Amino acid sequence: MPDEEKKPVHFIKSIILEDIANNKNDARVHTRFPPEPNGYLHIGHAKSICLNFGLAQEFNGKCNLRFDDTNPSKEDQEYVDSIIEDVKWLGFDWEDRLFFASDYFQQFYEYAIQLIKAGLAYVDSLNADEIRQHRGTLTEPGKESPYRNRSVEENLDLFERMKNGEFEEGAHLLRAKIDMASPNINMRDPAMYRIVKASHHRTGNKWCIYPMYDFAHGYEDSIEGITHSICTLEFEDHRPLYDWFIEKVGAYHPQQIEFARLNLTYTVMSKRKLKRLVEEKFVCGWDDPRMPTIAGLRRRGYTPESIRNFCEMIGVGKSESTIDIAMLEHCLREDLNKRALRVMAVLRPLKVTITNYPEGQVEMMEAVNNPEDESAGTRQIPFSRVIYIEQDDFMENPPKNFFRLSPGSEIRLKHGYYITCTSAVKDSDGNVVELLCTYDPETRGGWSEDGRKVKGTSHWVSAQHAIDAEVRLYDHLFTTPTPDVAPEGKDFTALLNPDSLEVLTGCKVEPVLADLPVGAYLQFLRQGYFTKDRDSVAGKLVFNRTVSLKDTWAKVQNKG
Ligand code: ATP
Ligand code: MG
């Protein structure tokens, strides 16, 4: 693909290029995306997905989708299903390579036996507290467990009985016998297996022991023939362990490569925190449009293309940083600008009666669907005597530079006519409840032959044709750009933005919106990008504002 040639060569690509040049692994490229099904995927995972699947695509290789389902107490089929849906939606295909780490439990078990037999693993019977005390610190070496020198026979017997469920959780632990004095704490006899008496979403009650991540992960990669095992930086210190487990059993050895995870301003990305937001009902679910989950972004109106472009733009590096969320929104606007259907919706309606327009007459006005895309065509919008405009498009006593409607002033109705306000009708409290206007029949389509200037252009909908709608406007979920830094003694939920959701009811939208599918990409003229929400029912549509029109990120870039 000619497009691919323009992509920058980041450090992981350089490694792959070199491996191909050296014919390492017969020049194969085989990556994987290995989520644990203990929550929904978020925008950080999207970075990893785009990287792993993207590299496979670029180098004619393969990428597996593998569920790292080794911890039964936190995992669930709902998460498996959502992850499959989200990776697909992002536009990636694992073909027939959908794998589960739990399918390898027997092989892990056999590797553990092999390590015990080689004198490289032992059953420890210290309790959790004691193990912690023996571990040492960054500056002090650890202490060896008194159980460290059990015989191979005793270890095999105890491990077998652990597996058979003879002991309670926490009674024993299988540990690798490496080095309690290692400067790398991960190498101080790390746990391989613990007793967990929970039912697994795939293996049921077959196993009473479950493998630890560091022990299992390399074997998962090895079994699948992965060439480049890409993970985030926090695993850098675990790499010696990844290598140790594989080398000691003599299995095929993939290469672990670490990159910096994505952090975003105004966003928490830890699954534990996102789960709390859902469970404690701070949001309405994993797909709440304020959530940074893929499901939330999709419901908010993000396109897969915009997320992929964003992941390309932020690049892949080795040092931790935080990306401005305005950059994600910039990528979104760029993409929506190309594809969004332009429609008119009045969010806070003010009734306008055009007194010289014939009663009962309806004219169909032609509107361009997308000025950025001629192939999107045009549509017909009904115009009639009573219409709605936006309340703040009128001011009774306007300041000097108010370019909208006021008594005596003339404006253009987009795709409609020029209208002039003759008077404002008020209720008993003095609120303006209706405008009386006249129109100029010579300005059909919103253009005047004589070229006279009007103060501004308003969007509108015909009252008798409009459909009622609820519109949900969103702001950042947190009040601070760094919600992972909670103030002393406070929980991160103290930083939630109480105004992150504003619900407008009684909105009036163009009739065409009734027939569009949920998830349609829209621009409400002058109001931003929107999408139709799944809460829509016949007669009452619901829309989410995806993002406003103002691109703060592009602005900052242009200044710099
Ligand atoms: P946890 O392990 O705490 O449950 P996790 O976010 O690491 O959470 P995993 O399911 O293990 O969740 O993640 C799957 C893959 O996505 C891993 O390879 C991980 O490195 C990667 N990943 C997770 N978060 C990010 C992020 N913010 N940026 C880039 N990659 C990420
Ligand atoms: Mg993880």
Side-chain angles (χ1 to χ4, degrees):
M1 274 186 272
D3 235 22
E4 310 277 13
E5 284 160 25
K6 280 186 241 129
K7 288 186 183 175
V9 175
H10 52 68
F11 81 98
I12 298 183
K13 251 185 237 185
S14 306
I15 293 173
I16 293 179
L17 286 166
E18 201 182 317
D19 288 347
I20 291 174
N22 293 333
N23 207 34
K24 186 176 171 185
N25 301 313
D26 304 322
R28 280 187 308 121
V29 173
H30 199 154
T31 56
R32 86 290 176 258
F33 173 63
E36 183 181 355
N38 61 353
Y40 279 56
L41 296 181
H42 53 60
I43 181 76
H45 293 117
K47 177 176 179 179
S48 176
I49 294 167
C50 291
L51 179 59
N52 280 294
F53 281 93
L55 287 169
Q57 268 169 11
E58 197 175 340
F59 293 101
N60 251 319
K62 293 175 179 161
C63 181
N64 298 353
L65 176 59
R66 178 205 311 147
F67 287 97
D68 199 345
D69 55 348
T70 52
N71 182 1
S73 46
K74 290 190 179 150
E75 296 161 4
D76 200 274
Q77 187 61 36
E78 178 195 350
Y79 300 135
V80 171
D81 296 340
S82 74
I83 289 168
I84 287 177
E85 184 184 0
D86 291 350
V87 179
K88 257 191 208 154
W89 180 78
L90 279 173
F92 297 105
D93 183 7
W94 50 89
E95 298 170 324
D96 56 352
R97 295 179 310 280
L98 173 64
F99 298 121
F100 290 84
S102 53
D103 289 346
Y104 314 142
F105 279 173
Q106 183 61 34
Q107 177 68 68
F108 299 157
Y109 178 72
E110 284 164 21
Y111 281 145
I113 300 280
Q114 193 181 330
L115 291 171
I116 293 173
K117 285 184 175 163
L120 294 171
Y122 63 98
V123 173
D124 198 356
S125 307
L126 294 179
N127 65 35
D129 266 348
E130 291 165 330
I131 286 178
R132 214 169 296 124
Q133 284 158 20
H134 278 71
R135 190 175 294 135
T137 64
L138 285 172
T139 49
E140 284 167 65
K143 269 198 321 232
E144 293 187 357
S145 163
Y147 303 101
R148 197 171 195 263
N149 293 315
R150 277 177 163 149
S151 68
V152 169
E153 290 66 38
E154 191 181 1
N155 281 322
L156 286 174
D157 173 62
L158 285 170
F159 187 50
E160 170 79 13
R161 288 163 60 198
M162 279 167 70
K163 170 179 161 260
N164 293 342
E166 287 185 31
F167 305 116
E168 291 313 304
E169 291 188 8
H172 304 285
L173 194 63
L174 185 71
R175 297 178 74 175
K177 198 181 212 177
I178 307 181
D179 179 7
M180 286 308 289
S182 171
N184 182 345
I185 294 188
N186 297 301
M187 300 300 274
R188 293 183 189 169
D189 292 8
M192 291 164 53
Y193 268 100
R194 64 212 162 100
I195 301 168
V196 180
K197 300 219 169 148
S199 178
H200 186 278
H201 74 116
R202 283 173 68 86
T203 57
N205 295 320
K206 176 160 184 234
W207 295 87
C208 297
I209 50 170
Y210 286 91
M212 304 300 289
Y213 179 91
D214 282 333
F215 165 70
H217 200 83
Y219 294 144
E220 296 164 22
D221 290 337
S222 177
I223 291 167
E224 292 176 14
I226 300 303
T227 55
H228 302 85
S229 172
I230 300 166
C231 61
T232 38
L233 277 183
E234 68 270 24
F235 292 104
E236 197 163 18
D237 291 345
H238 297 238
R239 187 172 359 114
L241 191 49
Y242 180 98
D243 295 338
W244 190 92
F245 279 123
I246 291 175
E247 276 160 22
K248 295 301 177 196
V249 301
Y252 160 74
H253 198 154
Q255 180 184 2
Q256 176 178 304
I257 304 169
E258 310 85 17
F259 72 103
R261 67 194 300 115
L262 168 66
N263 302 299
L264 264 189
T265 57
Y266 295 99
T267 307
V268 298
M269 218 95 85
S270 133
K271 275 194 264 184
R272 188 181 54 80
K273 287 180 179 172
L274 295 176
K275 198 168 181 188
R276 278 196 54 202
L277 293 177
V278 174
E279 282 172 356
E280 294 169 35
K281 301 208 174 358
F282 289 108
V283 295
C284 72
W286 284 99
D287 73 343
D288 186 300
R290 292 166 294 180
M291 290 282 272
T293 51
I294 305 298
L297 296 172
R298 174 168 61 237
R299 190 169 172 197
R300 176 78 168 254
Y302 273 73
T303 62
E305 291 81 359
S306 65
I307 296 174
R308 293 204 304 263
N309 291 343
F310 170 72
C311 290
E312 189 67 39
M313 198 169 186
I314 56 179
V316 179
K318 267 270 182 198
S319 53
E320 285 288 346
S321 66
T322 300
I323 305 286
D324 190 337
I325 195 165
M327 188 167 152
L328 175 62
E329 293 174 346
H330 165 78
C331 293
L332 177 61
R333 287 186 186 96
E334 293 252 291
D335 190 51
L336 287 175
N337 183 44
K338 285 184 247 157
R339 68 180 74 235
L341 171 68
R342 271 63 168 175
V343 294
M344 297 199 286
V346 176
L347 304 192
R348 297 170 181 88
L350 173 61
K351 183 178 171 189
V352 173
T353 300
I354 301 165
T355 51
N356 61 338
Y357 194 88
E359 295 226 31
Q361 178 171 308
V362 175
E363 276 179 275
M364 297 310 286
M365 313 300 277
E366 186 170 79
V368 172
N369 285 331
N370 183 354
E372 302 291 321
D373 175 11
E374 216 175 301
S375 72
T378 59
R379 72 184 182 288
Q380 303 291 313
I381 306 174
F383 184 87
S384 66
R385 183 179 155 94
V386 181
I387 62 170
Y388 294 111
I389 65 167
E390 220 55 69
Q391 282 167 18
D392 62 7
D393 276 346
F394 173 80
M395 258 183 117
E396 196 175 15
N397 301 299
K400 231 187 173 159
N401 44 10
F402 184 74
F403 297 115
R404 300 173 215 172
L405 201 57
S406 54
S409 79
E410 184 175 49
I411 59 158
R412 167 192 295 116
L413 294 175
K414 181 83 179 176
H415 311 306
Y417 286 100
Y418 284 13
I419 58 168
T420 302
C421 178
T422 51
S423 68
V425 181
K426 294 180 184 174
D427 64 12
S428 53
D429 296 328
N431 303 310
V432 175
V433 291
E434 182 184 351
L435 301 179
L436 302 180
C437 294
T438 56
Y439 84 116
D440 177 353
E442 300 302 314
T443 56
R444 192 171 197 280
W447 302 105
S448 165
E449 291 278 310
D450 64 15
R452 75 179 185 271
K453 292 244 176 348
V454 285
K455 287 189 122 181
T457 302
S458 285
H459 58 274
W460 52 277
V461 290
S462 162
Q464 77 182 91
H465 303 94
I467 300 177
D468 289 325
E470 174 180 314
V471 170
R472 300 171 184 168
L473 305 176
Y474 301 100
D475 195 355
H476 298 314
L477 189 50
F478 293 94
T479 50
T480 155
T482 54
D484 277 319
V485 190
E488 270 279 306
K490 281 202 177 152
D491 186 65
F492 79 102
T493 56
L495 302 172
L496 281 164
N497 177 5
D499 302 318
S500 60
L501 169 63
E502 183 184 358
V503 179
L504 302 177
T505 54
C507 308
K508 302 283 184 182
V509 302
E510 252 187 63
V512 69
L513 291 172
D515 303 324
L516 295 179
V518 166
Y521 301 121
L522 308 166
Q523 185 190 99
F524 290 179
L525 288 182
R526 302 166 71 218
Q527 311 273 15
Y529 293 103
F530 289 77
T531 191
K532 191 166 171 179
D533 190 79
R534 62 170 164 80
D535 287 345
S536 296
V537 291
K540 181 162 154 236
L541 305 178
V542 178
F543 297 93
N544 297 314
R545 181 154 75 188
T546 309
V547 69
S548 67
L549 292 173
K550 204 170 87 189
D551 194 333
T552 52
W553 191 81
K555 246 189 209 150
V556 172
Q557 300 308 301
N558 290 340
K559 261 191 222 151

